[in-house]
Amino acid sequence: MKKIAAGVGPRYPQVVVLVGATGDLSRRKLLPGMFHLSTAGFIPACRIIGVSLDEIDVDGFRAIARGALDQFSTRKVEEADWTQFAQNLDYVSMADGPEALAAAVRRAEEAFGESRRVHYLSVPPNAALPAVRLLAEADLVERSRVIMEKPFGVDLASAVSLNARLHEVFAEEQIFRIDHFLGKEPAQNILAFRLANGLFEPIWNRNFIDHVQIDVPETLGLGRRSAFYESTGAYRDMVVTHLFQILGFMAMEPPTSLEPVPISEEKNKVFRSMLPIEPRDVVRGQYTGYRQEEGVDPESDVETFIALKCSIDNWRWAGVPFFLRTGKRLAEGQRIISIAFREPPKSMFPVGSGVGAQGPDHLTFDLADASKMSLSFYGKRPGPGMRLDKLSLQFAMHDTGLIGDVLEAYERLILDAMRGDHTLFTTAEGIERLWQVSTPLLEAPPPVRLYEPGSWGPKSIHQLVAPHAWRLPFERAWRSPTGGT
């Protein structure tokens, strides 16, 4: 039974041109996501035209789509829903050229009457501009929006060039540069937590916050991405396109309204205030065995790990270090923002009471899809005397019974693009500024240091964060929804 999600979706039926339709991202995220958006009633109507290099027919594409749903969908696939969805799938091979693509879009639009176009470019960076040219040659720019995958260039010059080439075809307001981290419910919950609560907004500044950590370690290796990774590395792949975007969301000034333009402007102000990334504030690492992997240069100095300190030179954040860390083949897979508060200026507690022994109070956001937050603090241990322990208040989305209503990141972002909402997308100005502050690091990167798979990276990361300590690994685990540890 289709449930209607009134008021949250686009007004008009959508014709989606999915370039790279048979690729890994399409099968894992995009096709299952659009199936859910369609069958749950978020979109009034939708036709998807798959485009790729594979010379298959529409039945072959439907078979790929059904296999993707069976393997990767997190929700049960009802046969009636699949039958209806399959009828709205079409396919055009790249070899058939722009005329065939234009004809397929016309057929879809004739069935709808008034509609809008969304072009999703799920392609490698070197195929993005050829895909844009294909859309232009097929005369599919009007009434359209284009969603682009990262990375958006590899340095300032390439980003400026890419944006200039894009703007020859699409206006900036038509371009949606996707960052799936910002599509996650917990990332958006940072805005609600901070701006809707009088307890936290007054202390969201340098007077009360000592330092901030954004930590996204991964246990996975490269899989089949070694060729891509050799041309990017962890900094280009993750920091510029993901971690800096989270930093902008966390550090921005309150916008005048929760609308796309004010929010984008406040994020861009953060990026303008960032100081250049100095190589001395960066640790680059490479896991042992990376150079032996297929497609990797035996003398490669590409980093599979990066940790860095950056600063925001404005009134709110001057003097507060932001520590960022991400990498492959690390000890745990986590996605957290951890905010360390300043400790009281004077302690009247007796020696041995335990105050300060477990570090400062922390507010921690878990950016996994199952949103969690924790606020740690010192409290008195029951019994005689004054002995303190570190305690915590924790919240998990599972506790609300609403976890089933959470849209996956790609679903939310596709829906926003269809609605023309740029709130969670990056801008040309923002991405060019981030490459600008990255220039000192890219021009003179420090040498890579080896680390063992399953570790937390090179040992020198502890010198980088000193006198503080990395928040991960946690000394105490998140509590489970059932109350255990």
Side-chain angles (χ1 to χ4, degrees), residues 187-484:
Q188 301 160 56
N189 211 13
I190 294 170
L191 286 183
F193 187 86
R194 170 189 169 186
L195 300 177
N197 295 293
L199 176 62
F200 291 100
E201 174 53 28
I203 63 173
W204 210 265
N205 57 60
R206 64 187 302 273
N207 296 322
F208 298 94
I209 292 176
D210 184 73
H211 66 277
V212 177
Q213 294 182 28
I214 301 175
D215 214 348
V216 187
E218 298 180 285
T219 58
L220 298 176
L222 300 180
R224 294 178 295 177
R225 300 177 72 224
S226 58
F228 165 78
Y229 218 76
E230 274 288 278
S231 63
T232 54
Y235 185 80
R236 290 179 170 94
D237 182 43
M238 289 291 293
V239 177
V240 176
T241 50
H242 291 323
L243 274 63
F244 279 161
Q245 300 301 327
I246 296 172
L247 183 152
F249 233 55
M250 179 267 165
M252 72 180 187
E253 295 295 318
T256 54
S257 66
L258 289 179
E259 296 294 329
V261 172
I263 289 178
S264 292
E265 175 59 20
E266 295 304 334
K267 278 178 56 187
N268 286 341
K269 285 181 183 177
V270 173
F271 300 151
R272 289 180 214 136
S273 301
M274 287 178 62
L275 296 177
I277 307 300
E278 297 294 341
R280 65 175 179 271
D281 293 328
V282 177
V283 175
R284 297 170 68 237
Q286 186 185 94
Y287 64 78
T288 304
Y290 170 75
R291 295 177 182 177
Q292 284 72 53
E293 296 201 11
E294 184 178 355
V296 173
D297 184 340
E299 298 182 359
S300 174
D301 66 348
V302 168
E303 78 278 357
T304 61
F305 170 97
I306 190 106
L308 61 107
K309 178 174 70 174
C310 62
S311 301
I312 302 171
D313 190 24
N314 63 16
W315 194 268
R316 184 180 292 267
W317 297 112
V320 177
F322 287 74
F323 298 102
L324 282 56
R325 176 174 64 170
T326 187
K328 301 291 186 183
R329 301 288 299 273
L330 296 175
E332 293 179 23
Q334 295 276 2
R335 295 172 179 179
I336 71 158
I337 300 176
S338 189
I339 299 166
F341 293 101
R342 293 191 183 279
E343 299 190 62
K346 179 176 173 56
S347 174
M348 71 290 295
F349 294 93
V351 176
S353 65
V355 66
Q358 297 183 57
D361 299 338
H362 282 85
L363 175 62
T364 302
F365 295 88
D366 186 336
L367 298 182
D369 288 323
S371 176
K372 292 184 285 189
M373 290 182 287
S374 172
L375 179 62
S376 70
F377 59 93
Y378 285 99
K380 182 183 178 299
R381 182 185 301 177
M386 183 58 72
R387 181 71 181 168
L388 305 182
D389 285 330
K390 206 60 177 282
L391 309 174
S392 67
L393 299 172
Q394 294 191 8
F395 162 82
M397 188 63 71
H398 284 286
D399 298 336
T400 67
L402 299 175
I403 191 68
D405 294 339
V406 174
L407 288 179
E408 292 188 351
Y410 279 100
E411 294 173 351
R412 168 63 192 269
L413 293 169
I414 291 170
L415 191 65
D416 281 357
M418 289 177 171
R419 295 168 57 233
D421 187 338
H422 277 89
T423 302
L424 302 177
F425 296 85
T426 58
T427 65
E429 177 191 340
I431 202 69
E432 289 176 13
R433 172 58 184 167
L434 291 175
W435 284 121
Q436 184 180 22
V437 301
S438 302
T439 298
L441 172 62
L442 299 178
E443 290 182 346
V448 293
R449 301 172 184 269
L450 295 179
Y451 65 96
E452 290 301 314
S455 70
W456 285 100
K459 296 290 190 292
S460 51
I461 61 171
H462 302 295
Q463 297 165 346
L464 175 69
V465 78
H468 315 294
W470 289 103
R471 184 73 167 141
L472 287 175
F474 287 131
E475 293 184 1
R476 53 185 297 133
W478 291 96
R479 289 194 288 272
S480 72
T482 58

